[in-house]
Amino acid sequence: MIYLDNAATSGKKPTEVINANIEALTHYSINPNRSAYKRALDLSYKIYRVRASVADFFNADVERIIFTSGATAALNLSILGSLKVGGHIITSVYEHNSVLRVLEQLKQQGLIEYCVVEPSTKMGIISAKQVSEKLKSNTYMVALNHISNVTGVENDVSSVGKFCTSHNLLFLLDAAQSAGHVQIDIQKSGIDLLAVAGHKGLLGPQGVGVLALNKSLEAKGYSLTPISFGGTGTLGESLNQPQNLPEGFESGTLNNPGILALGAGAEYVKQNFLKFQSHIKSLAKHTLENLAHTTNVILYTPKNTYGGVISFNIKGLECNAVADMLDTEYGIAVRAGLHCAPLTHSFLDTLNFGGTVRASIGWHNTLAEINTFLHAVKTIANQIS
């Protein structure tokens, strides 16, 4: 199988990640931060080292790295944990349902209102300009996708961060598609809350993610409160949920195998960052240039967008039919549909296709695989009369 669904989950894990997962299951099926015997203390230190590694990756403080079950949980914690009743949130058409459904639920409960910004062109970016046009007196947060999981467009995070800082707004960045692929510095970019998936660009396993917090959160007068409650290993005598970072936000048993494997993935990506970035860019450039010249193919990923997420359709065919042909006839795995980003497809006018076909390139893909994919798409497209 040629795997081109890396935007959903990185299809190949480094040996280091697999070994870290196995080591955790073999030697560390215990609870850290709960007991004082040697192996538990060893595991606590290992998990601390992962926090430190991830913190370094995003220029965050180690105690402000909160482990979650994934980017969805990190986004939920960010939005629900900073809720300001009667407030207003600005978001965009590029958002995933892990943001949109939370906002819609809060809106239906009468707790907040929100609005959606659009880029100035069909395949444009969101910048501070678009955000500023939606600002209201009760706006307190901007929730923005860093890289679209549909088009691969990278929004202007720096300008939005500066705008949020100057207007004392919380800036929540969904880095599910960007973490591990582009450099993210929460200090320089003015990001208050960074939601990260562990199983995509960081090459970790499924079931683990990160919420990285910036000190600017408190500096702006905001705070984050837990949204799940239970044992934390701290203040066990109190019936009140601890508010301390990070333990107060990590109730229950940690995903030790996932966390240790995530740490191995993050280190592997750090060591190979420029090589992976160059490799994916080269393959994405080759793919986009060829698809742009393929008859009957409609591209939704702009030229010069080389992060590896590429969306297209073939005239006269639903996207799921194309994906099925790529799978059954050529052994190529792609994603088809709405990609949990319905507003993006409404904006792009792709609902009549059922969404888009998305090919997403990873560090392990080869030029030969990409050429096989391009040949398959051309063959299917040429069948259209």
Side-chain angles (χ1 to χ4, degrees):
M1 178 179 71
I2 295 175
Y3 186 82
L4 292 174
D5 195 20
N6 294 281
T9 290
S10 52
K12 183 178 181 181
K13 308 299 181 184
T15 302
E16 290 86 344
V17 171
I18 297 169
N19 289 343
N21 193 269
I22 292 172
E23 180 191 19
L25 290 169
T26 304
H27 298 292
Y28 293 107
S29 288
I30 54 179
N31 281 15
N33 305 322
R34 301 291 197 275
S35 302
Y37 50 86
K38 184 178 184 304
R39 189 167 290 187
L41 293 175
D42 288 346
L43 179 57
S44 296
Y45 178 68
K46 285 179 178 289
I47 288 176
Y48 175 84
R49 290 290 301 272
V50 176
R51 282 193 209 276
S53 177
V54 174
D56 177 68
F57 208 103
F58 302 115
N59 193 18
D61 295 328
V62 63
E63 71 274 9
R64 291 174 175 270
I65 297 297
I66 300 169
F67 292 121
T68 67
S69 63
T72 295
L75 290 164
N76 272 256
L77 173 56
S78 297
I79 297 169
L80 298 175
S82 63
L83 175 65
K84 185 176 180 181
V85 175
H88 172 252
I89 295 177
I90 300 172
T91 191
S92 87
V93 295
Y94 289 133
E95 302 316 303
H96 191 275
N97 275 337
S98 50
V99 168
L100 296 175
R101 286 179 171 171
V102 186
L103 298 182
E104 185 63 23
Q105 179 72 13
L106 294 174
K107 177 184 175 182
Q108 290 181 15
Q109 291 175 338
L111 298 174
I112 65 159
E113 55 180 349
Y114 73 94
C115 66
V116 177
V117 301
E118 298 179 349
S120 56
T121 63
K122 276 294 182 186
M123 291 184 284
I125 65 171
I126 302 294
S127 68
K129 181 180 184 298
Q130 286 80 33
V131 173
S132 66
E133 293 169 351
K134 298 291 187 178
L135 185 65
K136 299 174 66 172
S137 60
N138 61 336
T139 302
Y140 72 96
M141 173 184 279
V142 175
L144 185 64
N145 195 297
H146 191 178
I147 291 179
S148 168
N149 73 323
V150 178
T151 66
V153 163
E154 182 177 346
N155 289 312
D156 188 354
V157 169
S158 179
S159 75
V160 175
K162 289 177 182 177
F163 177 83
C164 289
T165 299
S166 65
H167 289 80
N168 205 50
L169 305 175
L170 285 175
F171 184 22
L172 166 59
L173 189 70
D174 177 359
Q177 293 300 329
S178 58
H181 293 296
V182 299
Q183 291 183 330
I184 302 173
D185 186 320
I186 65 171
Q187 309 294 335
K188 289 182 179 179
S189 297
I191 302 162
D192 301 300
L193 306 114
L194 182 74
V196 176
H199 62 107
K200 300 186 183 189
L202 293 179
L203 306 182
Q206 295 159 315
V208 65
V210 167
L211 176 60
L213 304 179
N214 195 335
K215 286 180 180 178
S216 57
L217 185 80
E218 290 85 1
K220 290 179 177 179
Y222 295 98
S223 62
L224 191 72
T225 58
I227 63 171
S228 62
F229 306 90
T232 62
T234 57
L235 301 177
E237 73 284 358
S238 175
L239 296 182
N240 295 315
Q241 180 73 13
Q243 303 284 314
N244 58 307
L245 289 167
E247 293 88 355
F249 298 84
E250 295 177 346
S251 292
T253 302
L254 290 176
N255 177 3
N256 301 324
I259 291 170
L260 296 189
L262 170 62
E267 286 300 318
Y268 190 80
V269 172
K270 281 184 193 178
Q271 295 166 13
N272 296 280
F273 185 82
L274 293 179
K275 181 175 73 173
F276 289 168
Q277 195 176 50
S278 176
H279 178 66
I280 291 172
K281 178 180 179 180
S282 175
L283 294 183
K285 185 174 186 290
H286 178 69
T287 305
L288 278 173
E289 289 175 350
N290 279 271
L291 288 178
H293 293 94
T294 301
T295 303
N296 293 323
V297 166
I298 306 168
L299 261 179
Y300 303 100
T301 299
K303 61 180 181 180
N304 304 322
T305 302
Y306 301 139
V309 176
I310 298 169
S311 268
F312 67 97
N313 276 313
I314 295 178
K315 294 177 182 178
L317 292 175
E318 289 193 354
C319 64
N320 285 293
V322 175
D324 185 62
M325 284 186 272
L326 288 171
D327 177 31
T328 59
E329 298 177 24
Y330 299 94
I332 300 171
V334 296
R335 176 81 176 268
L338 300 181
H339 318 297
C340 301
L343 298 187
T344 307
H345 293 279
S346 295
F347 179 70
L348 294 174
D349 195 26
T350 57
L351 294 176
N352 56 320
F353 288 98
T356 62
V357 182
R358 184 186 69 190
S360 46
I361 300 166
W363 66 283
H364 56 87
N365 289 123
T366 65
L367 180 60
E369 289 178 330
I370 295 300
N371 284 333
T372 299
F373 163 73
L374 291 169
H375 171 74
V377 172
K378 184 176 182 180
T379 302
I380 294 169
N382 284 341
Q383 295 172 5
I384 307 301
S385 57

